Amino acid sequence: MRIELDASLCLGYGNCIAEAPEHFDLDEDTNLAIILIENPHEQDRGVVEAAVRSCPAVALRIVE
Amino acid sequence: MTRNVDSAASSAATLIVGASLAGVAVAEELRTRGETAAIIIVGSEPDLPYDRPPLSKQMLASDENEGRGAVQLLKPADWYADNEIQLLLDTRAIALQRRNGTTVVTTDTAGDIQCERVVIATGSRPRRLTFPIPHSGGDTGTSNDLGGPNYLRTSADAQRLRTALGSTPGRMAVVGAGFIGLEAASAAGKRGWQVDVLERAPRPLSRVLPDDVAERCLTGAADYGVRVHCDTAVQNWQFTGQRCELTLTSTKVMAADLCVVGVGAVPNDEWLTGSGLNLDDGVVCDGHGRTSMPGVWAAGDVARWPNAATGTHTRHEQWQSAREQARLVAADITGQGTVWNAVPYFWSEMFGTRIQSCGAITSAMDVSEISDGGKTLMLLSPPGAANVQAAVAFNAPRWFGMAKRWVSERRPLHDCLGAAQTLAPGAHLRSTTRKETA
């Protein structure tokens, strides 16, 4: 699976970091999310999916 | 007339009453969890389901009805049919009752709908400000297209207010220094309006935040041309179109070109009176969203849920709570339910500050503040306690992301402060213990 970010939708809420801090970070200058691991391990699917679904701006998605 | 969903599927069908955030989230989660039976959503508004937070933020920012300024639909128009979800808009539920082992919901224009499973997600509406002594002359304050006060809940409200803000900036009065009022004040101030916020309590945001935190929210208000007057109640008012005169005391009247009111919300549960459901400031639910009636769940602003993380059993009005509850209801319906134990979270934006908050906050808490330039993180603890129970961040989403984790782990304060130093080596630390309130 691959995580994709639509930067035009991202509002820097940081929900993704709270759910999966190993997979996401926030660029303090642009206030946009940073995907730390673009192709996460299958065993991390739970936290990654939780992070993607936690975004109020619906800026993240998982592409299989 | 009783409308039966395709009878072969009706035993497993779900009727969702309410087509906003919680209602649509229940439907989405049911499908995500593999539910194939019929789903009907009934909504009282005529518009396709949309998101409410932008109504008091981006939508008021400019006249543009495009991009960020447009109404943000929760789902594209064809999503419903594509997922075999029947969406009945402009249809209001007016009664609910158990009949022969199923639940029947009566609507105003679509007759009776009978389903084995019903989810109540009818949300809340703004509390109306009314005055007992009728004023002579002028309008009594009923809102209509011709004038009166502006409440802010629906996209129609937001478009009405946006149109008013688009005229030559004048003076705006805001009644209520809660999030709705302050966000509207911020948008108007940014567009050149002179704004006076009238709050009857001694402090703004007093319902939800302690002093230090509330004060920090208002940093920047003056730069936006916004003044907040506390201990100031509106005694009466009169309107001529959108223009108003607010009576503050026996000798003080404030005139304004525009008036916005944000004085709280009430649950839309009146339609359930007589249904037999347990109602007490909303529909009373357990930690799975089950109501007192089998086969009936509730989620969102209309529902009162216990939260295992905070130990409270109250009605929650946050976006995040509505969505979490809706997903838990869908999980329970599909037999995979757990109880709600997520740390409460909400966000706001006002006067150039992004505010994020998580945890159970009361007005009496010890505050440890970490700040670096315009970024501030406040860690809140019960007086004298060693753990962090809540966190509020200002213009610091990355710090907030970490703090949210700490709160859900109930991490000891000294641990969090240590972690904060690593996150932000140059930051300034300050602790204050609870001030005695008068």
Side-chain angles (χ1 to χ4, degrees):
Chain A
M1 64 180 137
R2 190 177 78 246
I3 311 176
E4 285 184 355
L5 169 72
D6 185 337
S8 69
L9 296 176
C10 177
L11 290 169
Y13 284 113
N15 282 24
C16 51
I17 301 164
E19 293 291 338
E22 283 80 44
H23 295 266
F24 298 94
D25 201 346
L26 207 66
D27 184 326
E28 293 191 344
D29 298 318
T30 62
N31 244 15
L32 293 176
I34 300 168
I35 299 169
L36 297 174
I37 303 169
E38 202 185 317
N39 298 88
H41 288 294
E42 189 56 38
Q43 71 213 31
D44 292 335
R45 179 175 287 275
V47 286
V48 169
E49 281 184 357
V52 167
R53 298 185 68 217
S54 73
C55 177
V58 201
L60 290 167
R61 66 179 184 151
I62 294 175
V63 178
E64 303 293 348
Chain B
M1 175 194 51
T2 298
R3 169 182 304 187
N4 261 35
V5 173
D6 165 26
S7 55
S10 70
S11 62
T14 305
L15 168 63
I16 301 168
V17 187
S20 192
L21 181 67
V24 174
V26 171
E28 178 184 35
E29 187 73 4
L30 282 172
R31 287 289 181 246
T32 300
R33 287 177 177 270
E35 178 62 60
T36 53
I39 297 174
I40 307 176
I41 304 177
V42 167
S44 63
E45 290 184 62
D47 313 291
L48 280 171
Y50 59 89
D51 206 15
R52 297 198 198 277
L55 300 182
S56 57
K57 304 177 192 65
Q58 301 96 296
M59 269 191 79
L60 300 181
S62 78
D63 289 330
E64 297 302 308
N65 201 28
E66 296 167 342
R68 297 257 170 122
V71 172
Q72 301 297 322
L73 295 183
L74 291 173
K75 293 292 174 196
D78 45 20
W79 181 84
Y80 303 90
D82 286 352
N83 286 276
E84 291 174 47
I85 294 166
Q86 197 182 349
L87 183 61
L88 300 176
L89 297 174
D90 210 5
T91 305
R92 184 175 293 272
I94 55 178
L96 179 152
Q97 54 177 161
R98 262 327 252 182
R99 217 190 276 163
N100 306 323
T102 61
T103 308
V104 179
V105 169
T106 305
T107 68
D108 58 356
T109 54
D112 284 357
I113 304 174
Q114 179 177 296
C115 266
E116 275 297 301
R117 305 146 163 184
V118 174
V119 181
I120 297 164
T122 46
S124 64
R125 65 185 183 279
R127 176 175 290 120
R128 251 51 186 177
L129 199 54
T130 58
F131 300 102
I133 304 163
H135 227 280
S136 54
D139 199 283
T140 54
T142 330
S143 302
N144 52 45
D145 287 338
L146 301 175
N150 287 276
Y151 292 90
L152 194 45
R153 176 69 180 176
T154 65
S155 74
D157 292 337
Q159 288 174 83
R160 181 177 185 259
L161 181 55
R162 172 165 64 192
T163 302
L165 288 175
S167 51
T168 311
R171 192 181 195 184
M172 179 162 111
V174 173
V175 184
F179 285 104
I180 295 292
L182 292 173
E183 287 176 8
S186 181
K190 192 156 188 205
R191 295 180 71 169
W193 287 71
Q194 187 201 113
V195 187
D196 288 278
V197 182
L198 309 168
E199 170 54 56
R200 68 175 179 181
R203 299 179 287 105
L205 298 164
S206 57
R207 199 171 50 87
V208 288
L209 299 176
D211 281 353
D212 325 43
V213 186
E215 213 177 283
R216 181 67 181 77
C217 291
L218 263 54
T219 319
D223 292 338
Y224 275 57
V226 175
R227 292 182 297 198
V228 180
H229 313 269
C230 293
D231 290 309
T232 305
V234 175
Q235 313 280 7
N236 213 327
W237 60 15
Q238 92 178 333
F239 283 85
T240 311
Q242 293 263 18
R243 285 192 50 85
C244 64
E245 278 179 8
L246 309 181
T247 305
L248 305 181
T249 66
S250 56
T251 53
K252 205 163 167 198
V253 174
M254 176 184 284
D257 303 296
L258 191 52
C259 179
V260 171
V261 180
V263 294
V266 294
N268 290 322
D269 63 354
E270 288 85 357
W271 67 283
L272 296 164
T273 313
S275 64
L277 278 168
N278 187 8
L279 305 174
D280 183 2
D281 184 33
V283 182
V284 181
C285 299
D286 69 6
H288 300 270
R290 297 175 199 162
T291 66
S292 58
M293 201 180 274
V296 180
W297 291 258
D301 284 11
V302 77
R304 261 188 84 172
W305 279 53
N307 180 290
T310 60
T312 58
H313 191 167
T314 60
R315 209 166 53 75
H316 291 257
E317 295 179 348
Q318 291 83 37
W319 187 95
Q320 186 88 343
S321 302
R323 204 164 71 149
E324 284 169 1
Q325 290 173 3
R327 288 173 172 176
L328 286 169
V329 163
D332 200 50
I333 287 174
T334 53
Q336 302 150 15
T338 54
V339 291
W340 190 36
N341 61 5
V343 166
Y345 162 59
F346 76 85
W347 79 91
S348 177
E349 285 163 27
M350 58 178 79
F351 314 123
T353 306
R354 140 120 10 97
I355 304 161
Q356 292 169 291
S357 162
C358 64
I361 302 183
T362 62
S363 45
M365 298 184 90
D366 289 345
V367 180
S368 294
E369 186 182 311
I370 301 141
S371 54
D372 190 358
K375 299 198 301 240
T376 306
L377 177 66
M378 291 182 173
L379 299 176
L380 310 180
S381 315
N387 66 310
V388 172
Q389 184 174 286
V392 186
F394 301 89
N395 291 333
R398 190 164 160 263
W399 289 1
F400 180 74
M402 302 310 297
K404 193 157 170 266
R405 284 234 130 186
W406 300 337
V407 170
S408 60
E409 290 161 6
R410 292 171 201 255
R411 233 160 132 175
L413 180 59
H414 69 262
D415 257 22
C416 299
L417 293 176
Q421 301 256 225
T422 317
L423 249 188
H428 169 71
L429 224 75
R430 183 174 74 109
S431 282
T432 57
T433 50
R434 179 177 70 97
K435 299 183 191 98
E436 290 300 326
T437 48

